[in-house]
Amino acid sequence: MKSTLKLTLGLTSAMFASTAVSNVAQAEDLTLCWAAWDPANALVELSKDFTKESGIGMKFEFVPWTNYADRFLNELNSKGKLCDLIIGDSQWIGGSAENGHYVKLNDFFDKEKISMDDFVPATVVGYSEWPKNTPNYWALPAMGDVVGWTYRKDWFSKPELQKEFKEKYGWDLAAPTTFDQLKQIAEFFQKREIDGKTVYGASIYTERGSEGITMGAMDVLYSFGFKYENPDKPYEMDGFVNSEKSVKGLEFYKALYDCCTPPGASNSYMGEGVDAFKSGQVAMHMNFAFTWPGLQKDENVGGDKIGYFANPKGPDGDQFAQLGGQGISVVSYSDKQEAALKYIKWFANKDVQAKWWSLGGFSCLNAVVKDPGFAASQPYAPTFLDSMAIVKDFWAEPSYAPLLQASQKRFHDYVVAGQGSAKDALDGLVKDWTEVFQDDGKM
């Protein structure tokens, strides 16, 4: 996920205009389309090796997250030829497959002996497959991402706070493993004075305009027992989306928002979360893993001051996390599909994937993430591995946009605006989603 986002992470160094790795334009130059953010800069650097090996020049069309979905979905829907390769959001896969925007890659994978078994299973399902859980591949997993948490390890380790917390809650102040523990920690830090400054418990997703509050609420709801549908009857949502467990999960998310977020947190997403953490406002911070390399390097909150933990367990021990990230696809309208497939083959190589990780990309290749040295390669690597093992994703249906718009409205109206109850919100969501699937002829 991460479409039409407001992303103010200081990523102005990302190239918003077309940029070429090679100085001399060539007939076989490929244009790769993606979002403008730090991983895109890493991909530009990485792709210089492809040009050296193949002689094929690379151009890049990077668009800010706020315009990413509109820009490239319009390009695909108009059958434009700008993009030869595209790194598209996970939820685009259904529509792009059914509408013929992407080249199906099965025959190519078979020919080149590229096996989806070599990639983290969740990323294959999330980024490559349509229909889900079938061996029909429309993308190569490219950028693994997942919602996890950072925390102020330096605050947690203060002896006086350790003592006070243990006396109050009966357990050692440390990275939480359950949502109950997370809320206790957030309450403990809320409006506390640390180093002469008032701080707050946690930054969570509340943004209304794109997908923010859905990504945040679902990150909690999964672990409370939420299910999108009856596992035995597709699109049967009543009793699953609005189950008692789902209701408790949404109530928890609102309680966390009400008790423990900083002032002005009613429309917060990735950029605002990073700002809150980097400015020393919050003890804990919900965000996608792609933010971690930059935070780790931050002079004020990085290094030994920052810690990471996977999304906690719910009341019954369930533990899941919201999937992010994208796959790389060949655009079916491109006149350079053969050269684009060469790039896919090159990108799938183990050595290339290892360098991708070292430059700041998040590899999905098992040979990289299961390497004995991976966990020690970055302080956040173990949390990334733990998180990618528990992912779930939002609907990837061709009609994902109205499905997402419905959840954004229902969640924000309840969690932030305080309208109605959690049960009302989820009952309404079942109604909204049912109408979408009825219009699609799937119910």
Side-chain angles (χ1 to χ4, degrees):
M1 305 293 293
K2 290 195 290 290
S3 60
T4 58
L5 306 181
K6 181 180 181 183
L7 187 57
T8 55
L9 302 183
L11 304 183
T12 53
S13 60
M15 288 161 285
F16 293 176
S18 297
T19 306
V21 168
S22 57
N23 293 324
V24 181
Q26 303 175 38
E28 278 293 300
D29 279 355
L30 293 172
T31 298
L32 188 153
C33 298
W34 200 12
W37 58 333
D38 282 352
N41 291 337
L43 189 64
V44 171
E45 184 65 27
L46 181 72
S47 297
K48 292 176 181 178
D49 292 343
F50 173 73
T51 297
K52 290 177 184 177
E53 294 175 19
S54 68
I56 299 171
M58 293 297 296
K59 297 178 180 178
F60 298 89
E61 188 75 15
F62 296 152
V63 174
W65 278 113
T66 45
N67 307 112
Y68 166 73
D70 288 344
R71 174 69 180 88
F72 291 132
L73 289 177
N74 286 338
E75 178 71 18
L76 294 173
N77 289 329
S78 66
K79 301 183 180 181
K81 295 182 180 293
L82 170 65
C83 310
D84 302 301
L85 293 154
I86 191 166
I87 300 182
D89 254 344
S90 57
Q91 71 270 30
W92 298 3
I93 199 77
S96 295
E98 293 192 8
N99 294 318
H101 299 328
Y102 293 170
V103 173
K104 190 173 184 180
L105 297 175
N106 287 58
D107 291 345
F108 170 72
F109 286 165
D110 290 343
K111 176 185 175 184
E112 300 297 341
K113 295 181 172 53
I114 297 172
S115 173
M116 290 294 95
D117 291 339
D118 293 338
F119 291 82
V120 176
T123 68
V124 176
V125 176
Y127 311 152
S128 302
E129 291 181 353
W130 189 261
K132 295 300 181 185
N133 301 304
T134 69
N136 295 281
Y137 306 120
W138 306 89
L140 184 88
M143 174 71 188
D145 207 358
V146 61
V147 176
W149 296 79
T150 59
Y151 71 100
R152 287 298 299 267
K153 186 187 291 187
D154 55 337
W155 296 357
F156 279 45
S157 63
K158 287 179 177 290
E160 67 276 17
L161 296 184
Q162 285 272 349
K163 182 176 183 293
E164 182 183 343
F165 186 88
K166 182 69 174 287
E167 290 174 350
K168 184 172 184 178
Y169 294 105
W171 58 282
D172 292 331
L173 178 58
T177 59
T178 70
F179 273 113
D180 280 347
Q181 291 179 346
L182 185 144
K183 188 166 181 285
Q184 289 175 7
I185 293 171
E187 289 171 337
F188 180 76
F189 279 102
Q190 184 72 0
K191 296 184 179 179
R192 178 174 292 274
E193 185 172 303
I194 295 181
D195 299 331
K197 180 178 179 180
T198 301
V199 304
Y200 301 89
S203 171
I204 62 174
Y205 291 164
T206 58
E207 181 263 3
R208 170 69 177 85
S210 62
E211 65 174 16
I213 196 166
T214 297
M215 297 294 95
M218 295 313 308
D219 204 46
V220 172
L221 285 167
Y222 293 142
S223 294
F224 273 73
F226 172 99
K227 291 182 173 58
Y228 284 103
E229 57 192 344
N230 184 340
D232 300 319
K233 189 175 181 181
Y235 308 113
E236 181 180 274
M237 295 170 286
D238 193 29
F240 296 88
V241 168
N242 55 350
S243 68
E244 289 185 12
K245 292 181 177 180
S246 300
V247 169
K248 289 180 180 178
L250 192 55
E251 288 173 343
F252 177 92
Y253 199 72
K254 177 172 175 52
L256 188 62
Y257 169 73
D258 288 342
C259 80
C260 305
T261 53
S266 62
N267 195 42
S268 178
Y269 199 15
M270 297 183 294
E272 292 80 6
V274 165
D275 289 344
F277 192 81
K278 289 176 69 173
S279 65
Q281 266 196 304
V282 293
M284 296 179 293
H285 161 226
M286 163 191 280
N287 222 329
F288 283 101
F290 86 88
T291 63
W292 297 348
L295 291 173
Q296 181 63 39
K297 296 174 184 175
D298 188 85
E299 292 182 359
N300 295 319
V301 300
D304 294 338
K305 297 178 181 178
I306 190 172
Y308 307 87
F309 61 92
N311 206 42
K313 296 177 182 177
D316 297 330
D318 293 334
Q319 186 178 21
F320 299 100
Q322 174 60 50
L323 180 70
Q326 303 91 26
I328 183 169
S329 300
V330 177
V331 177
S332 63
Y333 315 116
S334 168
D335 295 327
K336 303 173 183 177
Q337 291 182 22
E338 184 176 348
L341 289 169
K342 289 181 181 178
Y343 186 92
I344 297 281
K345 178 183 177 181
W346 169 82
F347 188 72
N349 180 271
K350 177 184 175 182
D351 291 340
V352 174
Q353 287 289 305
K355 187 171 182 178
W356 175 225
W357 168 253
S358 72
L359 290 172
F362 281 73
S363 176
C364 304
L365 189 68
N366 286 326
V368 174
V369 300
K370 292 185 178 181
D371 184 276
F374 181 83
S377 64
Q378 294 288 350
Y380 47 79
T383 301
F384 175 67
L385 286 179
D386 292 343
S387 299
M388 290 303 294
I390 57 172
V391 293
K392 286 193 176 187
D393 200 10
F394 189 75
W395 295 108
E397 296 279 338
S399 293
Y400 88 89
L403 297 169
L404 180 60
Q405 289 165 358
S407 61
Q408 283 290 103
K409 182 180 188 306
R410 296 292 183 180
F411 290 157
H412 199 274
D413 283 353
Y414 169 65
V415 173
V416 176
Q419 298 177 13
S421 67
K423 184 70 162 56
D424 294 336
L426 293 170
D427 285 346
L429 194 55
V430 170
K431 179 177 178 291
D432 297 338
W433 285 354
T434 297
E435 290 176 358
V436 172
F437 289 127
Q438 285 176 339
D439 290 344
D440 287 347
K442 294 184 175 180
M443 293 184 70

